[in-house]
């Protein structure tokens, strides 16, 4: 006899961005485990990336943070107890990936030409320039505007960024700069600054 599982709706969250009006990806829920035995409960964040901003919603105050922990929080329409943080995006959503700190105090955007850490006010905490993720490009770009309309850069590869489960460190992967012998690298950083880099063996 085959066991039958019954699915049921547990809860719903209001999406902070409209996918068509705001040119946004579908929202998804990110959960961090308990960082240490006996510590606070794991945190949850609902994140949604649009072309001009990244929105982070704390779906519950007890599992995410108190209001004081979420900088410049604002209520999302239709969700009275869901504080949200909005990060201005340095480039459109199709040009890289991102990671958000569990306290919603920092977002790290891994783009085509750089890895950039941004706070909710839009201030750049730090930036790491690197070789272009478009395979045939050998230019060391200084800004997104340099390749925004270039058809070769329309579907580039991208790196990655991730925060550690203890919330104090992070890592990102970057390609080599043209003419450099450094090769692919993995960079370690703290929320406020970069700390080290390690060459990734071929």
């Amino acid at each position: 006899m085959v066991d039958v599982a019954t699915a049921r709706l547990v809860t719903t969250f209001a999406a902070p961005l409209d996918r068509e009006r705001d040119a946004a990806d579908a929202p998804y829920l990110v959960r961090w485990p308990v960082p240490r035995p006996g510590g606070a409960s794991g945190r949850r964040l609902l994140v949604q990336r649009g072309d001009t901003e990244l929105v982070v919603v704390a779906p519950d105050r007890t599992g995410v943070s108190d209001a004081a922990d979420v900088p410049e929080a604002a209520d999302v329409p239709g969700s009275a107890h869901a504080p949200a943080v909005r990060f201005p995006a340095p480039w459109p959503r199709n040009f890289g990936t991102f990671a958000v700190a569990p306290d919603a105090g920092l977002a790290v955007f891994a783009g085509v030409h750089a890895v950039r850490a941004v706070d909710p006010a839009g201030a750049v905490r730090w930036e790491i320039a690197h070789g272009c993720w478009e395979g045939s490009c050998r230019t060391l770009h200084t800004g997104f505007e340099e390749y925004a309309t270039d058809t070769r850069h329309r579907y580039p590869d991208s790196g990655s960024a991730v925060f550690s489960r203890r919330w104090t460190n992070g890592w990102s992967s970057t390609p080599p700069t043209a003419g450099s012998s450094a090769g692919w690298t993995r960079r370690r950083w703290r929320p406020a600054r970069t700390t080290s880099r390690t060459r990734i063996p071929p």
Side-chain angles (χ1 to χ4, degrees):
M1 182 177 179
V2 179
D3 293 333
V4 178
T6 302
R8 66 184 181 88
L9 180 65
V10 176
T11 188
T12 59
F13 299 120
L17 297 175
D18 183 276
R19 296 193 64 184
E20 294 186 5
R21 182 192 65 218
D22 300 314
D25 293 330
Y28 61 92
L29 196 65
V30 179
R31 187 183 184 101
W32 281 266
V34 177
R36 63 187 66 85
S41 61
R43 296 190 173 191
R44 301 189 304 167
L45 294 177
L46 183 71
V47 298
Q48 189 173 19
R49 177 74 154 91
D51 274 343
T52 61
E53 64 179 342
L54 167 65
V55 183
V56 181
V57 178
D60 51 49
R61 292 183 183 276
T62 58
V64 180
S65 61
D66 295 326
D69 294 331
V70 182
E72 301 191 14
D75 288 339
V76 175
S79 186
H81 300 290
V85 180
R86 297 177 181 270
F87 296 89
W91 39 72
R93 58 197 167 103
N94 292 334
F95 290 88
T97 61
F98 66 88
V100 181
D103 65 353
L106 188 74
V108 176
F109 295 87
V112 174
H113 75 280
V115 179
R116 183 180 298 179
V118 180
D119 67 20
V124 178
R125 296 283 189 88
W126 49 261
E127 180 172 313
I128 303 170
H130 55 68
C132 183
W133 274 105
E134 201 290 309
S136 64
C137 181
R138 297 294 180 266
T139 302
L140 186 60
H141 301 292
T142 59
F144 169 72
E145 296 77 13
E146 295 179 8
Y147 54 87
T149 59
D150 186 352
T151 56
R152 294 182 307 159
H153 291 75
R154 186 170 298 171
Y155 303 105
D157 291 329
S158 63
S160 60
V162 62
F163 282 88
S164 69
R165 70 175 293 189
R166 291 185 179 276
W167 315 339
T168 56
N169 297 306
W171 293 268
S172 56
S173 59
T174 59
T177 301
S180 171
S181 60
W184 294 81
T185 57
R186 181 180 65 185
R187 297 176 183 264
R188 181 170 178 255
W189 34 264
R190 294 183 184 277
R193 61 186 177 89
T194 59
T195 57
S196 65
R197 71 178 180 179
T198 304
R199 185 177 185 275
I200 300 176

